[in-house]
Amino acid sequence: MTPDLSPNSSILVIGAGTWGCSTALHLARRGYKNVKVLDPHPVPSPIAAGNDINKIMEHKEVKSPNPDAQSIAFATCTRAALNGWKTDPIFQPYFHESGFIVSGHTSALIEHIKTEEVDQSEGDWVALETAEDFRQTMPPGVLTGSFPGWKGWISRVGAGWIHARKAMVSAYNEAQSLGVNFVTGSPQGKAQSLIYGNGDVVGVQTADGQKHSANYTILAAGASSDRLLDFKKQLRPTAWTLSHIQMTPEEVKNYRNLPVLFNIAKGFFMEPDEEKHELKICDEHPGYCNFVADPDHQGEKRSIPFAKQQIPLEAEARARDFLRDTMPHLADRPFSFARICWDADTVDRAFLIDRHPEYASLVVAVGGSGNGAMQMPTIGGFIADALEGKLQNELKDVVRWRPEIAIDRDWKSTQNRFGGPDKLMDFQDVKNDQWTHIGRGS
């Protein structure tokens, strides 16, 4: 029998990343007094996708007159998140509503954006037809490139960027102040295995041998989640690549309050970090996996995450190609930092937030699928709703446990992403001498 849920119920959250910290905060705000969070790293974790100087925040209302359920669900989530970024004092300081440019450089990409991304009948979208149009969106000297073949659209409302790391730390600090117990660092915070009893999940054993019992367990460990539970092929750990360029204080002043510039097949950048004065560039591609024989699944090849503060040389080349189109004055400047960044893709790229069908005390809260960080202010509320059995209908059916759609999963699917070689890549194909050697990492 599942224990009754009450303010005194013991609740264990596995993962203190973006979704774990948000969940802990929302549970504490709802009056739950016995919440514990486990993570193998102190907050902010060096491997958490949300440990980043900036992430895109973009809310799009559904475009189609007959929208599908997934579009409605995603719009519901991002609408709530945008309101949270604007009004919640824990998150509001870290949202910069500086605008968003979506663009492409081939006729096929531009047509895709026109039909799938931009509704020119709503909002404040303005077309960018020429290189000069792009340059006019930012102060003189920022966009110096020729933008060969590029076309795009800019929106100044409801979009921009978030300082993901600071927001995550803010949620963590507030959750702690409300009584949440964070157990971090290895081995004491490293979840080794779920503990089962009477046909249910009754807690977690950590790497130090300690058993943490709980009335309810919430698995929110991002790309590492499927190391603890069989997700029936519903999750694919997938990584992206990012790099930083050191800017001068004078450059940082000129690059302040810029709109995000995103080419759906080349990459994106946002304004420099105000503390370290580093400009982040991401090359765009369908992602990398790390396919190795998994001893926990009879030697089946699965994508298993690993941490690395370097990127493949091919990713560096792609980032510099993006810079040559947009900011050629920076294209040859050395990178000051780089790393791979892991997330977990579901088959349909909808989130997976549900009570487990076999273990009534277990809630899964995973599958950010590249869109998880922007949800930080409110995703924990939806996860708490799932725990309480009151997740709203427009979300419930879309984010449910759904292994039936993963039975014949193509692990190498691009998942409708563009860029790079237009195929999913495998870190196993990147030789040891084909990685960058940037000073701060290994």
Side-chain angles (χ1 to χ4, degrees):
M1 290 289 292
T2 305
D4 291 335
L5 184 63
S6 74
N8 293 317
S9 295
S10 55
I11 303 172
L12 192 59
V13 181
I14 306 174
T18 300
W19 284 22
C21 286
S22 180
T23 300
L25 174 62
H26 281 270
L27 290 172
R29 283 177 166 178
R30 293 188 185 192
Y32 292 101
K33 305 181 189 311
N34 192 3
V35 179
K36 182 190 292 184
V37 183
L38 301 175
D39 198 281
H41 301 279
V43 179
S45 165
I47 64 170
N51 185 359
D52 201 349
I53 58 175
N54 44 38
K55 296 283 190 186
I56 296 171
M57 172 61 218
E58 179 202 8
H59 169 58
K60 293 185 294 187
E61 288 294 347
V62 290
K63 179 178 177 181
S64 167
N66 298 299
D68 60 89
Q70 186 172 334
S71 297
I72 294 171
F74 187 68
T76 298
C77 288
T78 57
R79 189 185 307 117
L82 179 62
N83 183 62
W85 287 115
K86 288 186 171 185
T87 63
D88 190 326
I90 301 302
F91 299 101
Q92 187 273 333
Y94 311 111
F95 174 48
H96 302 260
E97 194 174 8
S98 56
F100 178 75
I101 298 168
V102 59
S103 55
H105 62 284
T106 69
S107 57
L109 293 170
I110 293 164
E111 186 60 29
H112 171 82
I113 296 168
K114 287 167 67 174
T115 56
E116 301 293 333
E117 303 284 339
V118 174
D119 186 353
Q120 296 179 78
S121 67
E122 292 187 9
D124 66 332
W125 291 105
V126 174
L128 306 174
E129 302 283 351
T130 66
E132 184 59 26
D133 288 343
F134 281 93
R135 287 192 285 266
Q136 289 295 322
T137 65
M138 300 189 191
V142 174
L143 298 179
T144 58
S146 60
F147 291 84
W150 285 49
K151 292 190 184 300
W153 288 263
I154 183 171
S155 173
R156 298 279 186 181
V157 177
W161 63 276
I162 57 173
H163 199 301
R165 179 189 305 138
K166 289 182 178 179
M168 182 165 60
V169 171
S170 180
Y172 160 73
N173 288 335
E174 180 67 7
Q176 270 198 317
S177 74
L178 294 174
V180 175
N181 177 21
F182 284 81
V183 180
T184 62
S186 187
Q188 66 274 12
K190 180 178 175 58
Q192 195 77 45
S193 60
L194 299 176
I195 301 173
Y196 299 89
N198 298 321
D200 203 351
V201 170
V202 295
V204 171
Q205 180 167 318
T206 46
D208 60 355
Q210 181 77 24
K211 293 183 179 180
H212 301 262
S213 61
N215 299 135
Y216 291 90
T217 301
I218 299 174
L219 179 52
S224 299
S225 296
D226 75 344
R227 311 306 301 153
L228 294 167
L229 179 73
D230 183 0
F231 277 89
K232 313 289 187 185
K233 298 187 177 181
Q234 291 179 92
L235 291 187
R236 184 190 72 184
T238 311
W240 283 269
T241 40
L242 64 88
S243 49
H244 294 179
I245 289 176
Q246 188 67 53
M247 308 291 280
T248 67
E250 293 73 24
E251 287 173 325
V252 170
K253 290 178 183 177
N254 196 44
Y255 283 60
R256 182 65 63 228
N257 298 320
L258 302 183
V260 176
L261 175 59
F262 178 39
N263 180 305
I264 65 171
K266 284 211 168 188
F268 61 90
F269 83 96
M270 287 165 269
E271 68 181 70
D273 175 52
E274 60 189 1
E275 293 176 356
K276 292 186 177 179
H277 294 174
E278 291 181 329
L279 180 80
K280 185 181 90 169
I281 309 102
C282 289
D283 58 306
E284 188 65 17
H285 50 73
Y288 284 90
C289 285
N290 181 46
F291 289 117
V292 297
D294 186 354
D296 294 332
H297 290 84
Q298 293 77 49
E300 176 189 356
K301 281 203 169 182
R302 297 170 71 92
S303 180
I304 297 181
F306 64 97
K308 195 172 183 71
Q309 288 189 355
Q310 300 293 340
I311 58 174
L313 292 173
E314 62 191 13
E316 177 183 12
R318 288 190 295 264
R320 295 195 184 282
D321 177 62
F322 169 73
L323 288 170
R324 278 189 286 274
D325 279 7
T326 58
M327 298 180 287
H329 59 288
L330 300 178
D332 296 318
R333 194 175 293 190
F335 288 163
S336 56
F337 177 74
R339 79 173 178 111
I340 59 177
C341 179
W342 288 93
D343 203 347
D345 280 328
T346 59
V347 179
D348 53 7
R349 292 182 62 189
F351 303 148
L352 177 51
I353 303 171
D354 199 2
R355 286 278 191 99
H356 194 282
E358 297 175 29
Y359 309 115
S361 296
L362 178 65
V363 174
V364 293
V366 295
S369 302
N371 293 306
M374 71 173 74
Q375 312 295 336
M376 197 185 314
T378 47
I379 195 68
F382 293 124
I383 294 166
D385 286 345
L387 172 69
E388 295 173 347
K390 60 181 188 184
L391 191 61
Q392 58 204 80
N393 288 335
E394 61 261 43
L395 292 180
K396 188 175 182 180
D397 290 340
V398 172
V399 302
R400 64 182 172 80
W401 180 266
R402 49 194 188 280
E404 70 278 1
I405 71 171
I407 293 172
D408 298 316
R409 182 166 195 178
D410 176 7
W411 289 117
K412 296 188 176 180
S413 168
T414 62
Q415 305 238 219
N416 296 314
R417 295 186 178 103
F418 306 96
D422 283 319
K423 67 178 183 180
L424 185 81
M425 296 167 282
D426 188 348
F427 283 129
Q428 292 295 308
D429 296 330
V430 182
K431 296 179 174 59
N432 289 337
D433 62 352
Q434 294 175 336
W435 291 83
T436 56
H437 293 279
I438 297 166
R440 291 198 324 231
S442 61

